[in-house]
């Protein structure tokens, strides 16, 4: 049976009118009450029947800003954002941008000029661009950043951080524990902080195991299949060859696997390969890839949840900040994530 | 150098004021002129600096309605839609729905009640649902449908059709030409018309080659990896086995390839496999998949282009129909597409 607004009121322990005020985003309801009502709406999967008239004046679109050619990442992020946006009465608009094009802020201004954007979800590299952040701050539009980092940057705006450093440390530590000493690292574009963090984690684990850094084994490139295939071809021509490859994402790893097959190098017997992300590819290829599980949907859901809390706070007249109102965050999911190692069939002890 | 509105006026051979009217979607400009101005805007990649005030009252969001778990399909569609929407001053909102949930129209009503939706892009199975189409017609909101079919249904609204029947015929004809007689067909959910059309094309080609239909080789299932892997496992247990599998999409084919590997059946020597879509997976796996190239980006771009023309026509007071104003369609891309066979390494002549 479909939940009604009365069911929501009962579960939240508030009046019908309060639920209606919350749904219509009237600023007269306190934050604690608002959170309670939204929690009840989510639990009952109540679909508020919002008419155009009720919504008039309240921007109800959240824009997802990204530049990432990795389909699985983008789709998983979209799904996580959509789940939270829908539950809280927002629609999701997608606005991919080319990070290299330079005119990001001008493009965003145009998007914002439509006048219906309540807030932005920024992913790397935009979320890691100080000029862009400064410009948005000046614009006073709520936004949430998803960044690569080991701790909360503790800025006025909400931020979701993903601990790529530690995850990369864990992967490299695992390979070294299998006896690998010649471990290559295939990174992505350094404009993505995640690539830098993963490289640093890799280097720290090598140091921990007393393995000297070999610059020839750290091959710069891009976060895609072709770059992974290319670089692996070059690595396999080295004497001695590396016995393991840590690819900074699953697409690079897919390319590495492909080149190993073409060169008739057995995976994992002669060459262990680890990816990063836990994309469907990693589970569907043969051998299945050892990788780090990056919970993109949860990361995105948390980002949307923090952003919407921030939008409500700003409409309530309090500072648009999650830092200033710690109480209202009690029900929000955590904002720190650490990708976890998933061991499958593409890794084994180093050959003798 | 960035193009200005004056550059656009010069290229289109119209006044500055006319360009401004077109950008602001004032109904006073004739369709032919409008098309010329938008063509110039696209050619120069001019970014109109649309202020909130200018846009007031004109809905500028197009919603993409879909239910498809295939990431690559969704992303390619989004990219095609975005390219056309951006060029013409629209933002894209994504609104995936669960086709099975039943309450599609109620959900759409809620989306439309935001009051800023200029039109909808419908993909299967929503685009193939007569009740939904009837409800939208009554609502008088412009929409475009993308459907599986061999010809334009010639309805009042624009429709993009993809000839899955002929593409499936071509694939099966190719396999039969390689001497295969036991060709299995792994379809998807029949709620997707494309699955039905592909099966019909397969059956027609079998008949053309004098091959009797064998119901045991037509295994119903879903458009995904697990379903492909499952059904292939069962096919490989048959005596005699099929010598070729036509998978109705690349994900099913990926599952088929996986099961063949697990069962140590050599592809293509003992078993030819063909997919459908030309997804990145088909190019990145080993052996690379023979498939049909489905031009998702072009299909989506054409859909957006026809929809926007329809939105303009409806704002100009003419019927919101591409059928009623054939002249204005002269510059639009064609609305019929036929996926083309791409032969790679997963197929070879039937074993003796």
């Amino acid at each position: 049976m479909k939940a009604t607004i009365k069911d929501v009121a009962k579960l939240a322990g508030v009046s019908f009118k309060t639920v209606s005020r919350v749904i219509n985003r009237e600023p007269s309801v306190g934050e604690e009450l608002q959170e309670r009502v939204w929690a009840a709406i989510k639990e009952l999967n109540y679909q508020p029947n919002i008419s155009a008239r009720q919504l008039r004046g309240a921007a109800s679109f959240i824009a997802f800003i990204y530049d990432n050619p990795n389909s699985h990442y983008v789709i998983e992020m979209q799904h996580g954002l959509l789940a939270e946006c829908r539950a809280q009465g927002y629609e999701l608009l997608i606005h991919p941008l080319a990070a290299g094009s330079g005119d990001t802020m001008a493009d965003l201004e145009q998007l914002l000029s439509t006048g219906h954007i309540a807030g932005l979800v920024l992913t790397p590299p935009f979320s890691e661009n100080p000029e862009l952040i400064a410009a948005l701050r000046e614009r006073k539009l709520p936004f949430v950043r998803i960044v690569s980092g080991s701790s909360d940057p503790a800025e006025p705006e909400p931020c979701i951080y993903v601990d790529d450093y530690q995850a990369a440390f864990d992967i490299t530590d695992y390979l070294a524990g299998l006896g690998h000493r010649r471990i290559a690292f295939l990174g992505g574009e350094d404009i993505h902080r995640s690539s830098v963090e993963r490289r640093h984690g890799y280097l720290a684990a090598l140091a921990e195991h007393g393995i000297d850094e070999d610059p020839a084994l750290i091959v710069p490139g891009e976060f895609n299949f072709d770059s992974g295939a290319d670089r692996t071809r070059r690595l396999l021509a080295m004497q001695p060859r590396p016995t393991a490859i840590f690819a900074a994402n699953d697409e690079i790893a897919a390319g590495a696997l492909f080149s190993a097959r073409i060169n008739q190098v057995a995976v994992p017997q002669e060459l262990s390969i680890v990816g990063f992300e836990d994309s469907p590819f990693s589970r569907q290829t043969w051998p299945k890839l050892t990788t780090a599980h990056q919970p993109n949907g949860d990361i995105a859901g948390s980002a949307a949840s923090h952003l919407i809390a921030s939008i409500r706070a700003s409409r309530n007249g309090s500072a648009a900040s999650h830092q200033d109102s710690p109480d209202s965050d009690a029900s929000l999911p955590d904002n720190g994530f650490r990708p976890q190692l998933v061991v499958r069939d593409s890794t084994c002890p180093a050959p003798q």
Side-chain angles (χ1 to χ4, degrees), chain A:
Chain A
M1 204 161 85
K2 253 184 113 156
T4 67
I5 194 166
K6 283 179 190 163
D7 299 328
V8 174
K10 198 171 159 195
L11 180 63
V14 300
S15 71
F16 174 94
K17 256 208 161 113
T18 301
V19 176
S20 164
R21 281 198 191 109
V22 169
I23 290 172
N24 295 323
R25 302 190 180 76
E26 292 176 22
S28 55
V29 187
E31 294 197 6
E32 193 270 333
L33 268 189
Q34 281 188 50
E35 294 299 335
R36 231 158 75 202
V37 170
W38 286 113
I41 285 173
K42 277 172 77 170
E43 189 173 331
L44 295 171
N45 193 25
Y46 170 66
Q47 303 283 336
N49 186 10
I50 305 168
S51 76
R53 173 203 289 264
Q54 286 175 308
L55 268 178
R56 190 186 294 159
S60 54
F61 298 95
I62 283 174
F64 173 39
I65 313 295
Y66 61 98
D67 173 21
N68 194 312
N70 176 345
S71 303
H72 295 300
Y73 172 82
V74 172
I75 285 284
E76 287 184 359
M77 292 295 291
Q78 289 180 355
H79 285 172
L81 294 172
L82 280 163
E84 191 66 21
C85 286
R86 294 272 189 95
Q88 304 213 36
Y90 287 84
E91 292 289 337
L92 183 68
L93 190 143
I94 56 172
H95 200 86
L97 289 172
S101 76
D103 218 1
T104 307
M105 198 55 216
D107 187 304
L108 286 184
E109 278 294 349
Q110 201 176 312
L111 168 67
L112 301 181
S113 72
T114 63
H116 306 299
I117 310 299
L120 304 179
V121 177
L122 302 174
T123 52
F126 305 111
S127 58
E128 294 159 348
N129 175 337
E131 289 83 26
L132 182 65
I133 305 303
L136 285 174
R137 240 168 229 163
E138 199 156 316
R139 192 87 170 54
K140 295 195 194 311
L141 188 88
F143 61 87
V144 61
R145 302 193 295 136
I146 297 170
V147 304
S148 178
S150 299
S151 62
D152 192 328
E155 291 181 342
E157 303 83 13
C159 184
I160 312 299
Y161 60 98
V162 181
D163 195 348
D164 291 300
Y165 174 92
Q166 187 60 47
F169 183 97
D170 294 346
I171 286 171
T172 314
D173 177 60
Y174 159 75
L175 288 171
L178 288 173
H180 292 279
R181 287 297 172 270
R182 294 184 54 72
I183 304 170
F185 178 80
L186 302 185
E189 296 88 335
D190 273 0
I191 191 177
H192 284 266
R193 182 84 203 151
S194 61
S195 180
V196 179
E197 293 284 327
R198 290 171 198 173
R199 190 171 63 242
H200 289 169
Y202 154 83
L203 291 171
L206 289 187
E208 180 105 347
H209 283 269
I211 302 173
D212 286 339
E213 174 183 343
D214 179 350
L217 294 182
I218 303 174
V219 195
E222 293 158 26
F223 271 129
N224 61 48
F225 177 88
D226 288 338
S227 176
D230 238 37
R231 287 182 278 170
T232 300
R233 191 160 37 237
R234 283 184 275 148
L235 285 171
L236 293 178
M238 290 173 68
Q239 285 299 343
R241 284 199 308 232
T243 63
I245 290 178
F246 170 13
N249 77 355
D250 285 347
E251 296 213 13
I252 297 173
L257 193 59
F258 186 84
S259 271
R261 285 228 181 87
I262 292 232
N263 288 280
Q264 298 182 290
V265 173
V267 176
Q269 296 79 2
E270 298 174 79
L271 180 71
S272 286
I273 297 176
V274 185
F276 201 108
E277 185 177 7
D278 194 18
S279 67
F281 179 91
S282 71
R283 300 184 288 269
Q284 298 176 356
T285 193
W286 181 260
K288 294 185 182 192
L289 277 181
T290 294
T291 188
H293 176 68
Q294 184 175 294
N296 293 322
D298 294 344
I299 291 168
S302 171
S305 173
H306 282 272
L307 174 62
I308 292 170
S310 175
I311 291 168
R312 292 219 180 91
S314 104
R315 284 185 183 158
N316 281 335
S318 60
S321 153
H322 70 140
Q323 299 294 327
D324 295 355
S325 50
D327 289 347
S328 74
D329 280 351
S331 67
L332 288 178
D334 199 9
N335 63 328
F337 292 86
R338 177 179 301 175
Q340 299 292 326
L341 178 66
V342 182
V343 175
R344 296 208 183 96
D345 307 322
S346 65
T347 46
C348 73
Q352 296 303 313

